[in-house]
Amino acid sequence: MERLIFHIDVNSAFLSWEAAKRVKEGKDDIRLIPSAVGGDRDKRRGVILAKSIPAKKYGIKTGEPVGMALRKCPSLYLVKPDFDLYENCSRSFISICREYAPVIEQFSIDECFLDMSGTGRLYPDPIKVAHEIKNNIRDRLGFTVNIGISRNKLLAKMASDFEKPDKVHTLFPEEIEEKMWHLPVRDLFSVGGSTAEKLESSGICTIGQLARCDVGAVQVLLGMKFGAQVHAFANGIDDSPVVAEAEEAKGYSNSTTLEADVTTKEEAHKILLALSDSVASRMRSDKGEAFCVGVTIRGSDFKDRSHQRTLFESTNITSEIYGIVKELFAELWDGRMSIRLIGVSLTSITKEVSEQINLFMDSERERSRKVDSVVDSIRKKFGSDTIMPASSAKASLSVGRKHKAHLEADNGNVKNKK
Ligand SMILES: [Mg+2]
């Protein structure tokens, strides 16, 4: 059976979702003015997470610092991120997609793949049904999407990135040469800035040039595995299946029931550090960054208390996450009750901004990231118990040993407790 895959991508998601909410409340549509989501205008910190089409005309880019964006466009209307809203909007558009597709894979908060293979009887014309899904989302929810149609995920994703907004595009294998090969190599999915530079400095500037290269030459440049993958992508080859996932927002969490009740801040901090370290490193191995950090404690009264904080910029840095976790813990615990369980969660995960943010990172963050990546690579080689933050060594061992089964059952999916 021939495969048929749709990739659905919300146009400037965070901005559209904010705009749709405001329009529903009878306010002006911020999609029509230079506007952006991200950071904090007064403190001029954080990065741009999404921008309107008028803002794009000023050269404002996703991932750039707010200060830089304001220099390009002083009248830029800035909105703070609202992840509760985003999660609601994300759930609503995915649920419309579910009305059409037997198998859906949510790829990020604003993107999903639909496996439409075998739906030919129900929907004889894939382009027509794509328009129906797109219009349905627009009319019912007030924001627009692009839909890419092809025989595999890679090509469907490339297709949804063609002209925006509110469009349906096909990129079938027979259209690759015409529609994909003229594009710059950095537009190919999985090719980031540094990979593109390596390719370009060897004279490989378009996807077509990459596709026609000898795979061995690409492997010399980019390594065996990644080189082969990128070369296959340039030729439109991708066999990965659409994997249905749970509907919950993806995230990472670790919690541990304590062997002995914790009664001091110092003990709690050690456990919080071990938990922060383990969730952050799991998230990093998936190349994710979190916009939301949460802490849960269970007191001797068996009641759970949770606090979470949404960040202006995403992070995957253990020391930053631990810093926030300590503050959240201080808000939750007044020291009067002993603690039986402690948990740390990372949610509102993004896989998109890390490389762009890296460009603008200050040196302290850069150093922290380097430390984390060295630790991660040593663990990959020698096992996860090899290194741990010094002050949490003991706590980390007991988290590891005693609660491994519990943690594994957790498996990276966390229900979004509110
Ligand atoms: Mg999008």
Side-chain angles (χ1 to χ4, degrees):
M1 183 179 64
E2 230 177 359
R3 299 175 75 206
L4 180 66
I5 312 294
F6 287 7
H7 179 252
I8 307 193
D9 186 357
V10 179
N11 302 127
S12 335
F14 295 170
L15 191 104
S16 304
W17 288 338
E18 179 70 35
K21 182 190 92 177
R22 288 173 184 233
V23 167
K24 233 180 249 168
E25 292 165 354
K27 297 181 187 157
D28 289 341
D29 190 341
I30 58 168
R31 281 169 290 203
L32 306 175
I33 57 166
S35 64
V37 174
D40 184 317
R41 192 184 174 100
D42 302 327
K43 292 182 194 148
R44 293 192 156 236
R45 56 180 301 253
V47 295
I48 301 293
L49 300 173
K51 77 262 172 208
S52 67
I53 290 168
K56 202 176 166 185
K57 290 189 180 135
Y58 284 86
I60 289 164
K61 294 191 176 75
T62 303
E64 81 180 344
V66 164
M68 192 185 286
L70 285 169
R71 276 195 296 278
K72 290 178 183 171
C73 176
S75 65
L76 185 69
Y77 187 82
L78 264 184
V79 196
K80 281 186 190 170
D82 176 354
F83 282 94
D84 289 339
L85 169 71
Y86 306 156
E87 273 164 12
N88 280 334
C89 291
S90 178
R91 266 193 292 274
S92 317
F93 101 86
I94 299 273
S95 85
I96 292 184
C97 296
R98 277 185 209 286
E99 296 169 16
Y100 294 88
V103 180
I104 290 189
E105 176 180 338
Q106 183 158 6
F107 190 62
S108 70
I109 194 161
D110 73 319
E111 285 172 74
C112 63
F113 289 101
L114 276 55
D115 192 342
M116 302 293 284
S117 311
T119 61
R121 270 214 196 138
L122 206 51
Y123 313 115
D125 183 351
I127 297 173
K128 201 175 146 207
V129 71
H131 277 278
E132 194 182 312
I133 298 171
K134 171 181 86 60
N135 297 344
N136 224 326
I137 293 170
R138 185 193 57 206
D139 300 341
R140 277 159 65 182
L141 304 176
F143 55 85
T144 61
V145 300
N146 261 37
I147 303 187
I149 304 177
S150 191
R151 300 284 172 217
N152 63 40
K153 285 163 74 175
L154 180 261
L155 291 173
K157 178 150 172 68
M158 292 299 295
S160 70
D161 210 29
F162 294 164
E163 195 193 358
K164 296 167 186 174
D166 200 23
K167 296 265 191 307
V168 172
H169 300 284
T170 62
L171 180 55
F172 289 115
E174 59 274 19
E175 299 175 299
I176 290 174
E177 220 177 312
E178 172 208 343
K179 291 186 176 177
M180 187 169 85
W181 278 6
H182 66 90
L183 295 173
V185 77
R186 61 180 64 231
D187 285 2
L188 183 62
F189 176 65
S190 84
V191 172
S194 60
T195 305
E197 276 163 30
K198 277 186 208 161
L199 292 167
E200 285 158 5
S201 64
S202 311
I204 303 167
C205 299
T206 66
I207 298 177
Q209 285 170 336
L210 176 60
R212 282 175 297 229
C213 263
D214 176 54
V215 64
V218 183
Q219 287 174 314
V220 170
L221 275 177
L222 305 179
M224 289 304 285
K225 211 177 153 198
F226 187 53
Q229 192 203 52
V230 165
H231 186 264
F233 279 2
N235 283 286
I237 298 164
D238 167 36
D239 297 323
S240 63
V242 175
V243 183
E245 284 169 308
E247 251 179 276
E248 281 82 35
K250 251 200 141 181
Y252 301 83
S253 75
N254 252 2
S255 60
T256 186
T257 314
L258 305 163
E259 287 173 51
D261 286 358
V262 161
T263 51
T264 69
K265 191 171 86 180
E266 289 69 30
E267 288 173 278
H269 279 183
K270 281 180 194 168
I271 291 157
L272 288 166
L273 177 55
L275 291 169
S276 304
D277 182 48
S278 84
V279 279
S281 111
R282 242 165 63 212
M283 181 175 70
R284 285 195 298 270
S285 74
D286 288 347
K287 305 224 177 329
E289 299 208 355
F291 272 107
C292 188
V293 177
V295 171
T296 300
I297 59 171
R298 181 176 302 154
S300 47
D301 61 353
F302 283 92
K303 275 190 190 143
D304 287 354
R305 297 163 183 80
S306 297
H307 264 193
Q308 43 183 280
R309 183 183 302 167
T310 297
L311 315 175
F312 285 121
E313 33 192 328
S314 60
T315 184
N316 61 11
I317 299 171
T318 294
S319 58
E320 284 186 6
I321 291 167
Y322 176 53
I324 298 159
V325 159
K326 274 196 292 189
E327 290 173 25
L328 291 171
F329 176 75
E331 292 165 14
L332 278 174
W333 191 59
D334 60 8
R336 274 187 289 190
M337 197 181 286
S338 59
I339 307 167
R340 299 174 155 264
L341 171 142
I342 300 183
V344 169
S345 68
L346 302 174
T347 50
S348 298
I349 305 299
T350 174
K351 294 193 174 173
E352 304 244 316
V353 291
S354 57
E355 192 162 17
Q356 290 156 318
I357 285 177
N358 279 342
L359 293 174
F360 304 106
M361 218 150 50
D362 54 59
S363 56
E364 194 194 328
R365 290 194 96 193
E366 181 106 61
R367 262 196 308 280
S368 306
R369 269 187 217 250
K370 278 195 184 130
V371 169
D372 285 345
S373 88
V374 169
V375 169
D376 289 345
S377 65
I378 293 172
R379 281 181 178 148
K380 216 180 207 171
K381 259 196 187 142
F382 302 108
S384 60
D385 286 346
T386 343
I387 311 189
M388 49 201 59
S391 62
S392 78
K394 242 183 101 199
S396 197
L397 274 178
S398 71
V399 169
R401 222 182 304 121
K402 217 181 162 223
H403 303 285
K404 217 158 196 168
H406 171 66
L407 300 183
E408 271 160 17
D410 220 12
N411 205 19
N413 279 312
V414 53
K415 280 194 183 138
N416 204 23
K417 282 178 237 148
K418 284 278 146 59

